[in-house]
Amino acid sequence: MREMELMAGAHAFGDGNHPSTRGVLEALMLIDPDAFTPINACDIGAGSGIISFAIARKFGCPVLATDMAKSAIETLKQNITQNNGTAITPIHADGFAHPEIAARAPFDLMVMNILPEPLLKLANAANTHLAEGGVLIISGILLSKESIIIQAYQMLDLELTTRIVIGDWVTLLWQKE
């Protein structure tokens, strides 16, 4: 498999070096594609698209990649063109507020690598857009904010299956019953 060259751009978070991004990539590696094969994925807060590319390459499924920053979407589009990311569809959206997200839901695999406050705000919408048996990976969580995030997501029909800590950052993998 050839190497990718991804531009992070001025406002496209995601060069792969941040502990929250590394946590998501590690969580994706832990998923056995023989036991769980998503056919529909969504990356909320996609930034440069590094996580979207990892999902598309590992599972061979289409990925809806969203970001609220227009500059991030422009960078993502350039990365898709440069790296033959035909399975990735970039969408400018704040959270789940875009008709294409609703049209493609429910998602078998969803990733949200964003800050704790938006993770809390989007918890119910994430649960609504996640398919039965689906996997949700959330990251961007400092250890000091972990307990409040866990409380919010445990209130939903989700089971915490994996916890990854890299430095002061936590990545949580949930499965919908």
Side-chain angles (χ1 to χ4, degrees), residues 72-125:
I73 292 299
E74 291 307 313
T75 300
L76 176 54
K77 287 177 180 177
Q78 291 171 4
N79 286 334
I80 289 168
T81 300
Q82 182 176 337
N83 293 284
N84 193 28
T86 56
I88 301 168
T89 303
I91 300 286
H92 178 245
D94 187 359
F96 292 91
H98 193 285
E100 188 155 353
I101 297 171
R104 286 192 172 190
F107 297 97
D108 303 307
L109 176 61
M110 188 182 306
V111 174
M112 296 193 304
N113 182 18
I114 54 180
L115 296 173
E117 291 76 17
L119 285 173
L120 290 170
K121 179 182 169 190
L122 297 174
N124 287 324

Side-chain angles (χ1 to χ4, degrees), residues 35 48 56 63 65 70 80 98 113 135 153 155 173:
S48 68
V63 181
K70 286 184 181 182
I80 289 168
H98 193 285
N113 182 18
V135 171
Y153 282 80
M155 300 290 290
L173 192 146

